[in-house]
Each structure stands twice: as C-alpha cells, then as structure tokens.
C-alpha cells in the first residue's frame, strides 16, 4: 500500500496491512477512508449493500487519528481500518433500522458495546450494512431498503441475513464487517460471497445494543477476508460487559490462534465429517468442495474421520420454532407507542393504532414469524410445539458434545447450495428455511462456527465449508481457517454479472 495508491488501500488489503501502513505514516487514515467510501458508492449502485453510508462521521474519525499520529500519540491496535456494521447494531445518532420500516425513524441514543469497542480500537465505521428485516431471512431480500445483490453475479442473492456486510467485504469496500448470527446469518452470506464468516461461542461477544431477534441464539460475528483479521477484531471485542449478563470473560488470544495456523500445519488435529449433513441434499459442487477441504486438511496433517450427529437433520425445524417463538416475544415492543413508527389515528384508541402500526410496518416474513411464534407459545400448544423444540435442542446439543469427545473440530458444508437466484425462494419459505440446515446447529448448541471459502462452482460462484468447535474453543477455528486460506483465487468480487451465468 502506498500514498499514491490509497484507492487500492481500503478493502483490497487486509486490516493488519492498513494498521501497519497508517502507523508507519505511508498512508493517512483519511486516504484509506476516502478510498473505501469511493468504492462503497460503486458497490452500492450495483448491489444495494448499504442502508446508509457515513462519509462525514468516517472522515472526522480519520482526521482525528491522523492528527493524533502527527502529534506523536501512540495509535490504538486497529487504527485507520474502515469497517461496516450490520444495520441492527446500534450506533448513536445513526439510523439503525434492522432493515425494518417500523424502525425507519430510530436513531439510538447509545452505541452497541461491539461498536464502541471497535471504534475505541481505532477502526472507522463507514456505513451500515443492509440485511433481512430483523435478521429474519437467508437472502437479504426481505429488507425494507430493497434486496441485496451478490457481487459475483447480480442475478443471485448475497445470502442473509448479513448480506450487506458480506458484500462490503467481498467487493473490497472494507477488510472487515460486523454481523449477527442467530441461525447462520454471518456464516451463510460469507459462504455465498466468498469470504470468512465467524460466529463465536454464545456469550463471547456482548449483545448490548444489538436489536434482538432470538435472544437464546443471537451472537455477533465477524466477516473478513483472512483469519488474522478476524482474530484482530475478536481481540478488540472480547471481554465481559456489565450491560450483557450472558457475556463471559474470554481472553484476547484470537489473533495468536490465527497466527499459529500460519505454518499451514494441523498435525494431530482430529476433524470429524458429519455423514448426516454431507450426503444427499447437497449440490454436487458443494459435496466436491467438502471432499477437497477434507483433502487439504489431511495434507496439513489433520486426522479426518466420520462422526455421527444423529439428530442433525431435526435441528432446522427445532431452530425455526425456537427462533420464531423468541422473535414473537422480542418484537412485541414494536407497537408504535414508545417504540416503532406510529401509524393510524390516535383517536381510534391504542389497540387500533398498535394493530395499524404493526400491520403497516412489518414485512411479510416478520409477520409470518410472529404468527408462527405466537402460535407455538400459545396456551394449549406450548408443550406440543415450543416444549418439544426445547427437548430436540437439548438432544442436538448433547450429540454435538458427544461428537466433540471424539474429535477437535467438526466439518460440514456451510450451505447445501451456492448462492441461489433472486426471487427464487421468496414464495417458498420452506426452501428458504432448509438452507439453514448446516448452520443452525451451532446456535442451538451455543458453540462457535466458521465458514471458510472452498473454491468455486461451474458458474464461478463461491463455495464454502463450515468448521465447528466445542464451546469456548474458538481459537481452533481461526487456526484451521488460517491453514485453509487459499492464496490462489481472486479475492475481490468484481461486482456485477459474471458473463453468461445469470
Ligand atoms: N436464516 C435464519 C433465519 O431466518 C437465520 C437468520 C439469522 O441468523 N439471523 O432465522
């Protein structure tokens, strides 16, 4: 990276390279941010990845850092690195819509802890990433801001619900982004866009200031193009938060774990392939990518064997029950009274206004989830639906725990297919839901998972594989991801249609 070419500086290089260049004075934080914003404009026109860009806020932060450096002040660890935040992470004074028309007016009076910590580490927020409304979706088509397009092929979805953040990283706007993952929303769009997507163990990252979807499942995650960058962000974010009682004290050893993988070796590491998830039901290209990942793990010295998770296929039904039940409760607050846009005539009475506000401002998918969740929790049905789902959840978690007594990591596809066509699943919610079969296990069990790129299909679309680790052993994921990182494929999405593949 050089001062003459900061255009290449923002996203096309890694966060750790930007940190070094800014600290050494070869480039100004301001130049990095200007380049990121210029690229963001192009990418926005082609993909709709952002709900809002924040040029003034970002430039002011960059100028403060450049002034601090000029004054000889020591710079924080991620100084000058531009990033994007999913639009469900509260940023003081910035529209945080969670992709919903009911939050069109919401400008939070405080920052989410993850935003405050990343900015305190010197990273610079340049924009808010578009997403499925309230995180409910697997394609980023259910946003009040319009659908997000895949940067490798604009006829395809970006994945969801963190589609905007994934596009921003894949298309070289920024080297890293924050998303949230309730059932796969960081890992699945990462897979569709060809970047890394990491969901740590439940409780690792604070959810203070994260707009809640399913509180027993929600976790903040990181999207980046390299494992070391994921590690650097994690080290800046971890640590107990008095504002989120679910957080645990996790040491900042993630970058070190990623560096360990720099030697390309995984000697003695035991990896289990899950037959229940690796067979029929996957596209042939996904199955091939999984086989190739097995070969690469073996080549690095890992011992790969089969490990059964007998109830794996039941997880997705159980996930949708629990997630919808929790969503119906969390979304009850959006009633146009204190929270959410108010629609209708106050003279009609409170209930009429609440009904009008929710009816007018929630999208189709959110309404479907609220109805499903309310039904599953209603008296007379709660034992048969929600209660059963909790039992299946426990069973899946126990089976994963038993699997981790035999192996250090599990390997599965991230998604059974590559990015599907825009519109293809909008009228078929079941097909949309079934795409989460591989990712939702980690959320149900509370363990960490990472999606790593694994080549391309015949149309040039990214493929991916997922690794899972036991609770609080997330360093293993970053080490293995660093080993699997491929140096031989195009890293930055060109944005737009790949010729002849639409
Ligand atoms: N696709 C899943 C859902 O719609 C997961 C979403 C997420 O992780 N936020 O619930």
């Amino acid at each position: 990276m050089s001062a003459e070419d900061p255009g290449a500086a923002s996203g096309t290089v890694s966060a750790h390279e930007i940190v070094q260049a800014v600290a050494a004075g070869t480039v100004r934080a301001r130049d990095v941010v200007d380049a990121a914003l210029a690229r963001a404009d192009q990418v926005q026109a082609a993909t709709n990845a952002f709900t809002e860009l924040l040029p003034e806020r970002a430039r002011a932060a960059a100028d403060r850092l450049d002034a601090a450096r000029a004054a000889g002040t020591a710079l924080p660890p991620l100084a000058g690195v531009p990033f994007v935040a999913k639009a469900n992470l509260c940023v003081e004074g910035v529209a945080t819509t969670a992709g919903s028309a009911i939050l069109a007016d919401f400008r939070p009076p405080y920052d989410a802890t993850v935003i405050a910590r990343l900015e305190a580490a010197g990273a610079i927020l340049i924009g808010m990433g578009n997403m499925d409304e309230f995180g409910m979706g697997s394609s980023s088509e259910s946003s009040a801001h319009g659908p997000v397009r895949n940067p490798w092929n604009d006829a395809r979805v970006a994945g969801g619900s963190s589609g905007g953040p994934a596009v921003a990283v894949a298309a070289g706007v920024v080297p890293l982004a924050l998303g949230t993952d309730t059932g796969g929303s960081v890992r699945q769009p990462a897979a569709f866009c060809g970047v890394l997507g990491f969901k740590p163990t439940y409780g690792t990252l604070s959810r203070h200031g994260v707009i809640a979807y399913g509180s027993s499942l929600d976790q903040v995650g990181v999207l980046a193009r390299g494992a070391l960058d994921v590690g650097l962000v994690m080290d800046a974010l971890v640590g107990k938060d008095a504002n989120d009682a679910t957080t645990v004290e996790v040491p900042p050893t993630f970058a070190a774990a990623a560096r360990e993988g720099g030697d390309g070796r995984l000697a003695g590491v035991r990896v289990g392939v899950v037959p229940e998830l690796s067979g029929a039901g996957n596209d042939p290209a996904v199955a091939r990518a999984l086989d190739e990942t097995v070969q690469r793990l073996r080549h690095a010295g890992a011992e790969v064997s089969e490990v059964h998770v007998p109830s794996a296929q039941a997880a997705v039904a159980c996930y949708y029950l629990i997630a919808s039940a929790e969503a119906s409760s969390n979304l009850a607050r959006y009633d146009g009274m204190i929270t959410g846009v108010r629609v209708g005539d106050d003279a009609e009475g409170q209930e009429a206004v609440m009904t009008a506000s929710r009816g007018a401002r929630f999208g189709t998918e959110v309404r479907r989830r609220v109805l499903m969740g309310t039904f599953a929790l209603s008296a007379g049905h709660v034992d048969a639906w929600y209660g059963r789902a909790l039992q299946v959840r426990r069973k899946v978690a126990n089976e994963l725990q038993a699997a981790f007594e035999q192996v250090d990591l599990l390997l599965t596809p991230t998604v059974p297919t590559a990015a599907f066509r825009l519109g293809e699943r909008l009228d078929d919610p079941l097909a949309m839901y079934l795409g989460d079969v591989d990712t939702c296990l980690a959320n149900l069990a509370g363990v960490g998972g990472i999606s790593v790129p694994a080549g391309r299909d015949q149309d040039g679309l990214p493929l991916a594989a997922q690794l899972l680790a036991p609770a609080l052993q997330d360093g293993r994921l970053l080490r293995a991801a660093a080993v699997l990182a491929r140096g031989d494929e195009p890293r930055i999405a060109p944005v737009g249609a790949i010729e002849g593949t639409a």
Side-chain angles (χ1 to χ4, degrees):
M1 184 185 352
S2 70
E4 296 79 61
D5 189 19
S10 64
T12 53
V13 291
S14 60
H16 58 275
E17 287 169 314
I18 293 174
V19 169
Q20 279 167 9
V22 168
T26 23
V27 93
R28 294 180 315 156
R30 175 60 186 259
D31 298 324
V32 176
V33 161
D34 282 342
L37 288 165
R39 178 70 177 152
D41 282 335
Q42 290 173 340
V43 171
Q44 176 65 0
T47 67
N48 195 29
F50 304 100
T51 61
E52 190 177 354
L53 289 165
L54 305 166
E56 279 154 34
R57 193 178 188 282
R59 289 191 173 112
D63 290 347
R64 279 197 301 277
L65 271 175
D66 289 330
R69 187 185 176 277
T73 315
L75 295 180
L78 288 170
V81 179
F83 76 101
V84 166
K86 189 176 182 178
N88 62 352
L89 301 171
C90 287
V91 182
E92 186 181 342
V94 171
T96 303
T97 66
S100 183
I102 208 161
L103 285 179
D105 295 347
F106 181 49
R107 291 183 182 269
Y110 66 97
D111 286 332
T113 298
V114 288
I115 298 287
R117 287 187 182 173
L118 205 49
E119 290 194 322
I124 299 175
L125 179 68
I126 67 138
M128 305 298 279
N130 201 353
M131 58 181 285
D132 283 301
E133 185 175 4
F134 287 108
M136 297 172 196
S138 309
S139 64
S140 295
E141 291 169 286
S142 85
S143 168
H145 306 270
V148 182
R149 290 172 186 275
N150 192 296
W152 297 101
N153 182 328
D154 61 15
R156 305 279 175 149
V157 301
S161 62
S162 311
V167 170
V169 174
V173 177
V174 286
L176 47 99
L178 295 181
T180 57
D181 189 310
T182 305
S185 278
V186 162
R187 290 161 287 155
Q188 188 260 25
F192 281 5
C193 292
V195 301
L196 286 173
F198 175 54
K199 181 203 90 78
T201 298
Y202 187 79
T204 301
L205 296 182
S206 168
R207 292 168 311 145
H208 174 63
V210 178
I211 294 184
Y213 164 10
S215 302
S216 76
L217 304 156
D218 293 341
Q219 185 61 200
V220 172
V222 181
L223 300 110
R225 290 189 302 273
L228 179 56
D229 282 0
V230 175
L232 292 169
V233 175
M234 286 301 296
D235 287 351
L237 295 183
V238 291
K240 221 170 154 44
D241 178 9
N243 288 319
D244 178 357
T246 64
T247 50
V248 289
E249 195 59 61
V250 170
T253 52
F254 290 86
R259 285 201 176 93
E260 240 185 285
D263 65 0
R265 302 297 302 154
L266 288 172
V269 174
R270 297 164 305 164
V271 180
V273 175
V274 181
E276 289 82 5
L277 296 173
S278 54
N282 290 302
D283 265 10
V286 170
R288 263 198 311 279
L290 196 67
D291 286 345
E292 279 170 29
T293 306
V294 168
Q295 295 316 321
R296 284 167 47 225
L297 289 167
R298 287 210 166 110
H299 186 72
E303 296 160 18
V304 186
S305 60
E306 279 197 349
V307 178
H308 287 278
V309 181
S311 307
Q313 289 282 345
V316 73
C318 156
Y319 163 79
Y320 271 90
L321 264 159
I322 293 172
S324 300
E326 294 184 12
S328 73
S329 165
N330 272 324
L331 269 55
R333 74 191 66 160
Y334 305 107
D335 57 8
M337 294 294 126
I338 294 174
T339 310
V341 173
R342 185 175 300 190
V343 174
D345 183 355
D346 282 357
E348 303 278 317
Q350 205 174 35
E351 202 175 319
V353 170
M354 285 181 184
T355 307
S357 302
R358 290 169 70 83
R361 294 294 177 130
F362 281 152
T364 311
E365 185 58 29
V366 170
R367 288 205 297 271
R368 182 160 31 230
R369 304 287 182 103
V370 168
L371 288 171
M372 281 202 298
T374 306
F375 174 77
L377 289 175
S378 58
H381 297 293
V382 64
D383 292 340
W385 294 99
Y386 183 67
R388 283 278 294 289
L390 289 184
Q391 288 171 342
V392 176
R393 179 180 195 170
R394 173 45 53 205
K395 195 166 157 64
V396 169
N398 287 347
E399 287 176 7
L400 278 181
Q401 208 175 346
F404 286 129
E405 276 157 27
Q406 301 167 58
V407 290
D408 305 302
L409 295 167
L410 290 174
L411 175 71
T412 75
T414 308
V415 208
T417 65
F420 46 90
R421 286 184 177 74
L422 279 149
E424 187 181 297
R425 298 191 185 170
L426 280 180
D427 297 327
D428 188 355
L430 200 57
M432 188 78 92
Y433 299 170
L434 285 173
D436 297 338
V437 58
D438 300 299
T439 45
C440 68
L441 294 169
N443 307 78
L444 289 173
V447 302
I450 195 164
S451 178
V452 289
R456 308 264 149 179
D457 74 0
Q458 63 284 0
D459 296 329
L461 293 166
L463 298 167
Q466 174 183 238
L467 290 163
L468 303 175
L472 298 173
Q473 300 300 326
D474 297 326
R476 292 180 195 171
L477 298 172
L478 294 195
R479 178 181 167 203
V483 170
L484 287 172
R486 301 156 76 105
D488 59 351
E489 55 184 334
R491 308 286 287 175
I492 302 296
V495 174
I498 301 171
E499 217 171 301
T501 63

